Amino acid sequence: MKFQRSIFWLRRDLRLGDNVALSAATSLSKEVVLVFVFDTNILDRLKDKNDRRITIIHNSLLDLDQKLRKKGSALVVLHGDPKKEISRFAKRIKANAVFVNRDYEPYAKKRDKAVQVACNKLGVTFQDYKDQIIFEGNELLTQSGMPYKVFTPYKNKWLMELSACHYQEHRSDLKRFTPLKQLDKEIVDWSLKKLGFEYTNLCLKTGESAAKKQLKSFLPALPDYDKNRNYPAISNGTSRLSVHLRYGTLSIRSLVRLALANPSLGVTTWLSELIWRDFYQMILDQFPHVVNGCFKEKYDSVKWPGLQKHYTLWCQGMTGFPIIDAAMRCFN
């Protein structure tokens, strides 16, 4: 083994199955500790202590921790600034390496660079991998060597370049997890209350186990996805997997494998939506100004008609237009 003890730092990949960095960590390390950091740089900016995103993450971590405990290990949860917490934790447990799956948001890229520098100062290797998308930002370029700005040419290139290596399953050696008795000193109370948040009821179940169940329930409807997705009243017209892809409780590769193995018009349309997801991750990576502004920056100066009260009524789902109001109330 290359490393005696390694850390797998979870972020947008809250699962054990088909996880690239976790697979690499367990194949290159004698033992692996799974760690999640509740990032105070993000949490401290959240005014709503009932923020559903925190409940989603917390529930997904509970599901993950339960799986680890069945295997004689546990999830280590830290609370603070990852730029400090990861290197400090690596030093405490005498880790040789930190494994992560890459994130493409501007803050995340800056954060990971800082963590890498801090780890390297301690002699700890920092290894990152592609996991949450099929093609990274600079893997598909136009003939002039520039990132795509239009979806259809991007999609055509995506389909043309796709090969089995892009969607192969990455299995992990689940016997490599550090035993619970060696982690006792690192296990702390990470309840929502301790983190300063409150539990919020969700309209969907979260975590890797729930993601697999949701995918299974959607499969019978997949062949008709091209028709049913446009009708909100059809309950299984869409997959309802967006949140699972957002937090990585489901592997994007598993969905591509499923699509390629079950050809139909519905599947072709669904795969196109998954490609849209890659496209927007590429846009975020290559054109980071979209985080706070328009993709075409000239549109930042557009003055929209209407009053503030109109916007408020839209947000509340009280415009008087049934389809808009139903959608907004559902979102709320």
Side-chain angles (χ1 to χ4, degrees):
M1 290 292 174
K2 185 175 182 181
F3 304 109
Q4 176 67 24
R5 175 178 286 173
S6 294
I7 293 169
F8 171 54
W9 176 19
L10 295 136
R11 291 96 68 81
R12 287 183 53 167
D13 41 24
L14 308 182
R15 67 183 186 281
L16 298 182
D18 196 8
N19 190 314
V20 180
L22 179 59
S23 176
T26 59
S27 67
L28 295 173
S29 315
K30 187 174 181 180
E31 63 178 63
V32 178
V33 182
L34 272 66
V35 178
F36 183 85
V37 183
F38 277 101
D39 188 343
T40 50
N41 294 314
I42 297 173
L43 299 187
D44 289 350
R45 297 201 306 267
L46 300 179
K47 297 179 181 179
D48 183 4
K49 299 308 175 183
N50 289 296
D51 195 300
R52 285 178 171 82
R53 292 169 295 183
I54 306 305
T55 298
I56 289 171
I57 292 171
H58 193 266
N59 285 359
S60 299
L61 293 176
L62 287 173
D63 179 65
L64 193 60
D65 184 53
Q66 189 176 44
K67 286 182 169 64
L68 289 172
R69 288 179 181 271
K70 287 180 179 179
K71 298 184 180 303
S73 187
L75 177 68
V76 175
V77 175
L78 306 175
H79 184 214
D81 186 343
K83 296 188 291 292
K84 299 176 181 178
E85 295 295 335
I86 290 296
S87 58
R88 287 174 180 171
F89 179 66
K91 185 177 182 179
R92 285 202 306 271
I93 67 168
K94 297 180 172 57
N96 312 114
V98 173
F99 288 77
V100 300
N101 289 312
R102 285 191 281 274
D103 197 333
Y104 304 97
E105 296 181 11
Y107 166 74
K109 290 161 72 172
K110 185 178 180 180
R111 172 202 66 198
D112 287 0
K113 187 63 178 178
V115 172
Q116 181 178 10
V117 170
C119 287
N120 289 345
K121 287 181 178 178
L122 297 174
V124 176
T125 302
F126 186 92
Q127 301 201 179
D128 59 346
Y129 299 83
K130 177 179 69 173
D131 175 80
Q132 62 167 296
I133 50 179
I134 301 299
F135 289 102
E136 288 185 310
N138 59 356
E139 288 185 311
L140 300 182
L141 299 173
T142 65
Q143 289 185 338
S144 60
M146 300 297 291
Y148 283 93
K149 295 182 178 180
V150 180
F151 175 68
T152 299
Y154 174 87
K155 173 184 172 180
N156 294 337
K157 185 69 173 290
W158 193 101
L159 291 168
M160 183 175 67
E161 295 293 331
L162 185 68
S163 64
C165 68
H166 293 115
Y167 53 83
Q168 69 181 24
E169 184 176 5
H170 293 260
R171 297 178 180 272
S172 301
D173 185 349
L174 304 184
K175 296 179 182 179
R176 296 287 178 190
F177 298 143
T178 300
L180 177 57
K181 62 182 179 181
Q182 296 183 33
L183 298 172
D184 276 344
K185 293 181 180 179
E186 300 294 341
I187 304 299
V188 298
D189 178 9
W190 49 280
S191 62
L192 282 174
K193 184 177 181 180
K194 186 70 174 180
L195 296 169
F197 287 83
E198 299 175 11
Y199 182 83
T200 303
N201 288 325
L202 303 173
C203 61
L204 49 77
K205 295 187 182 299
T206 56
E208 184 176 13
S209 301
K212 292 179 179 178
K213 289 180 181 178
Q214 178 57 35
L215 176 58
K216 185 177 180 180
S217 69
F218 171 64
L219 290 182
L222 183 50
D224 296 317
Y225 176 80
D226 58 309
K227 299 184 290 288
N228 293 342
R229 71 191 182 115
N230 293 318
Y231 295 92
I234 298 177
S235 61
N236 63 346
T238 58
S239 70
R240 300 187 181 185
L241 294 173
S242 297
V243 70
H244 294 295
L245 288 171
R246 171 64 180 86
Y247 296 104
T249 50
L250 194 65
S251 157
I252 182 63
R253 290 176 300 282
S254 68
L255 302 190
V256 173
R257 290 195 298 270
L258 187 150
L260 296 177
N262 297 277
S264 71
L265 184 55
V267 168
T268 299
T269 305
W270 188 57
L271 180 61
S272 181
E273 296 301 305
L274 297 178
I275 299 173
W276 268 107
R277 180 176 173 274
D278 260 21
F279 178 68
Y280 281 126
Q281 285 293 318
M282 178 275 292
I283 294 295
L284 179 63
D285 183 41
Q286 299 293 305
F287 305 96
H289 69 271
V290 299
V291 170
N292 296 309
C294 295
F295 179 45
K296 294 186 177 181
E297 294 173 269
K298 65 180 181 180
Y299 294 132
D300 284 331
S301 60
V302 169
K303 295 187 184 302
W304 297 100
L307 303 175
Q308 178 63 34
K309 67 178 182 180
H310 296 151
Y311 175 72
T312 301
L313 290 171
W314 182 291
C315 293
Q316 294 173 345
M318 297 178 65
T319 67
F321 292 87
I323 187 65
I324 293 172
D325 292 348
M328 292 310 300
R329 291 174 188 178
C330 180
F331 287 146
N332 288 336

